[in-house]
Amino acid sequence: MRRRRSLAQPWAAGALAAVTLVLPITLPTAPAAAADSASATATSATVFYYTKTKNWSDHYLHYAPDGGSWTTVPGTRMQTACTDWVKLTVDLGSAAGLQATFNNGNGVWDNNGGRNYALGTGDITVKDGVVAHSDPCADSGGSGTGNESTVYYSTETLGWTTVNFHYAPAGGSWTTVPGVGMEAACTGWWKKTVDIGTATSLKAAFNNGNGVWDNNNSADYTIGTGASTVKNNTVTANAKDPCTAEEPDTEAPSVPANVRASATNTSVVVSWDAATDDTGVTKYQVTRTGGTQGSTVVDVTSTVHSDTGLEEDTAYSYTVKAVDAAGNTSAASAAATATTGKKPATPTAGTPLGTDPRKDPIYFVMTARFHDGDSSNNRGGSQHTKSGNAANDDPMFRGDFKGLVERLDYIKALGFSAVWITPVVLNRSDYDYHGYHGYDFYKVDARLESTGASYQDLINAAHAKGMKIYQDVVYNHSSRWGAKGLFTPTVYGVRDSQWSWYYDEKKDGFEYDGLTVEAKSGKAYYNGDLWSTAEPTGNTCLNWGKPTGGKSAEGYTLYNCQWPSPTSGMFPKAFYHQCWIGNWEGEDARSCWLHEDLADFNTENTQVQNYLIGAYDKYIDMGVDGFRVDTAVHIPRVTWNRRFLPAIQERVTQRFGAEAAQNFFVFGEVAAFVNDKWNRGSVNHSAQFYTWKERREYSADDETAAIEQYTYENNLGTGNQPTSTNAFLQGNTYHTPDHSRFSGMNIIDMRMHMNFSDAQNAYNNGKDSDDSVNDATYNVVYVDSHDYGPNKSSTRYSGGTDAWAENMSLMWTFRGIPTLYYGSEIEFQKGKQIDCGPTCPLATTGRAYYGDHLAGSITASGFGTVASADGQVATTLAQPLVQHLQRLNQIRRAIPALQMGQYSTEGISGSMAFKRRYTSGATDSFVLVTVTDAATYSGIPNGTYRDAVTGDVKTVSNGSLSVAAPGKGNLRVYVLDGPGKIGANGPYLK
């Protein structure tokens, strides 16, 4: 998966993310701390309560001094203090504070979310749940008897709801902590004017009344007389009032020049030179004329516009206007014209290659981040600017199938014969490039396809090169907007002065596909079909459309039923689960939501099962070679074994035959992020558990059966689970594996993955689990991925080139199927955070765009060999780990025992040393392997052994063979009656 694993925010539309404190925060300086002592003897408290948010007609303070009794409900009426504030002074006697709640005298309460407010002494403010210490009604002006200093303080990046100004005139005393309250001046700015007598400057610090300070990195701020601003640790003297309206901008941008239009089939790409403006161009308006649909106008923020889904053989004309932030609009550009052609023909369905999947090392790509073959399908989405992607000209949907087809030879030149791609179904969310927010499971996401490069074209192109396509599939969840064709929720939304920027007007007949721009909104991420002010038929979301009492970060009114969640009643119980996961190793891990973006299917419901089976039958029919199953652990094994896995086998058998079905590779993500054999003792949440059939009959009802299975298997415990010898030699002998109890699902080797910070650790941990896996020779083995690095690290692996080489040498010779996450062959983005959502640019993460390293041309002459390459891709292919990979793949491909062999460590000394054998018909392949260190093998067959790395020949007549240490990252591969040296020496294999 990718994303995981935080609970929901009540609202997460673009501009409403929580604000992060960015100024350096330290404790108050010594003078400020000393000044606080004067308040220690106070025996009363004056409580100020903010009235604007609640909009009550009356206000009562219900309180109890510490150690004392509560007032009689509703408490004591508070008095008007000043605009938006009421107050009450209470006698505390000897108490050092009070417990308090507030109410309107008519049963509506503010009791701090059930916790009550703990208040101290002196002047206290309570504003929107935040307690601070100041008098909000104190005189905001100077006395007029001395010098005055007017200070404006910016909280634009802080998110504070109260600001106190703690200061000392030069040569004078500090105010009492926390200082005097500042008044809101305008959005993001607070103001205070103070009389500093004869002083000409003052020292100052600021705080939020809750112990968070900005004292200029302990240096305090020096501020003079007159007006000053303080923003991001910078004082500007004699400053202009930041709240004064700017002079109106009346100058229009220049006219966009050099407008160009080119057509491919039924799409047109329009581009132009950027316009100029005195304050900056914010968008462009592109007007299209021609065809039978009339004129359309769309807004775009870049200098390219892709117009898709047009009529065949039709002339279209385009003009462009530039618009600045004030709305000034340039004159229209000169027109550019283009004539469309015919729609492309639908490619013929493919046929899976159908060979043993253990022969095929896997290269894992995030399609949208790998290589951009067609810029016209690039889309940034609603988070394009906020994420920082816009500044890098790096839309989240950038790579595509065309780019992948163009670089299949690169992947083949590395030596990989299988490509695992992220989900292809139509996605829908604010940030959905990764593919895990499925919306229409029956459609391929148009942002990945191009003319002549559909998903079917990719499958066919890969097969033509002898390469497999493994499709990432999601059975556990849809996007937060449900699944089209099954159920999609309707949220409450109102296009008022606050929310019209977010809720697009409904457009009858427009269908979201992620790519096509809706003309009126100018958005490809149009949402007019998702919301309504009218309560939908059958609605079960309580208080539809009523204000929650809360506000967004901008102060906008929030409403009930404005955001999908499992507990809102907006999803039917029949199709979706109704809770958040509380225990990741508990039963609720299968029956609750992972995240607000991932609406959890009720996979025990027949309609849901049929929806998903029908969808994935479509991709089986296209000829894909296997499925990587996302979040497999969040669906009960009994449901997999009863419904989904048999459906896959049945469909492949129907379309392509029994042998193809046997080799259709299904491997599941059972995310167990622990180092023990069984995931915290829960067999139901351990990867190997999913490789087995059921051992007993359960209820005919799938939901009841899921609970029965969970209880039964956990009660049996880890010591009573099935075991297997399928991965192990019997002495030196290969034996026919017993797959009679195999479920049909293989697994990602999470235990090796978790321990790959050190190859020796990964090796030891992997061996320890193999007897509980049905057949560990099918385990998918990787170091890191789009989710985590080893030890659940949130960064891409950065152990160094030598360590990478050692890890690869182990993966390519030990049991299992070696898998590499895109770019690891050049340590791409090593140490970078793998994923931070839209809070940082993708270019700074482990999911950065890789295409810049693939520029130029490349032709593979075989798996692991290059016929020709030029440009940047030639430089990429020259990197040491690339050369290491190429030779490892050449060696593995030539030795069947390294692909499909069982293994043993019996009679072997050495830290990462083992023997493997595979026997089938006329094939009998026996190999001795040691990685990095020396090894001795006893009790092995006599004969001639040739090292595939060096070509060294050793004749064994006494059943024993010794190998000197080859060095870190290097290895020795002695093959009985082998071919000798395979490939040329490289930076590690030599």
Side-chain angles (χ1 to χ4, degrees), residues 932-976:
T932 301
D933 295 324
T936 298
Y937 305 83
S938 301
I940 60 173
N942 291 332
T944 301
Y945 290 80
R946 296 180 180 88
D947 180 19
V949 177
T950 64
D952 180 50
V953 179
K954 292 183 183 293
T955 301
V956 174
S957 58
N958 62 354
S960 179
L961 184 150
S962 294
V963 180
K968 185 153 185 156
N970 203 350
L971 76 160
R972 295 292 178 255
V973 183
Y974 281 90
V975 184
L976 180 61

Side-chain angles (χ1 to χ4, degrees), residues 43-92:
T43 58
S44 66
T46 299
V47 181
F48 294 86
Y49 187 71
Y50 188 65
T51 63
K52 188 173 182 179
T53 303
K54 300 293 184 186
N55 200 27
W56 294 342
S57 59
D58 214 346
H59 303 79
Y60 288 81
L61 174 64
H62 179 48
Y63 69 93
D66 292 349
S69 301
W70 284 88
T71 54
T72 302
V73 173
T76 305
R77 176 182 277 116
M78 304 183 76
Q79 307 299 319
T80 300
C82 56
T83 303
D84 297 330
W85 291 93
V86 293
K87 73 175 182 177
L88 183 69
T89 300
V90 297
D91 188 346
L92 299 177

Side-chain angles (χ1 to χ4, degrees), residues 453-476:
S454 66
Y455 185 35
Q456 186 67 70
D457 289 317
L458 168 64
I459 295 168
N460 295 351
H463 288 172
K465 294 181 182 293
M467 301 168 71
K468 295 179 177 179
I469 294 293
Y470 294 149
Q471 178 178 330
D472 210 322
V473 295
V474 185
Y475 286 78
N476 174 63

Side-chain angles (χ1 to χ4, degrees), residues 2 366-370 379-381 383-399 430-435 786 796 821-822 828-829 832-850:
R2 81 244 120 250
M366 296 194 81
T367 309
R369 307 302 302 156
F370 184 63
R379 292 292 182 269
Q383 306 296 297
H384 189 49
T385 300
K386 176 181 178 292
S387 64
N389 291 339
N392 293 320
D393 193 20
D394 183 27
M396 58 169 184
F397 264 96
R398 188 172 179 184
D430 291 334
Y431 214 52
D432 55 0
Y433 65 94
H434 42 66
H786 58 330
R796 286 192 77 157
Y821 184 38
Y822 82 96
F828 180 60
Q829 299 294 89
K832 296 294 180 65
Q833 185 175 356
I834 292 172
D835 174 34
C836 61
T839 65
C840 72
L842 279 167
T844 66
T845 73
R847 299 178 178 183
Y849 176 66
Y850 192 59

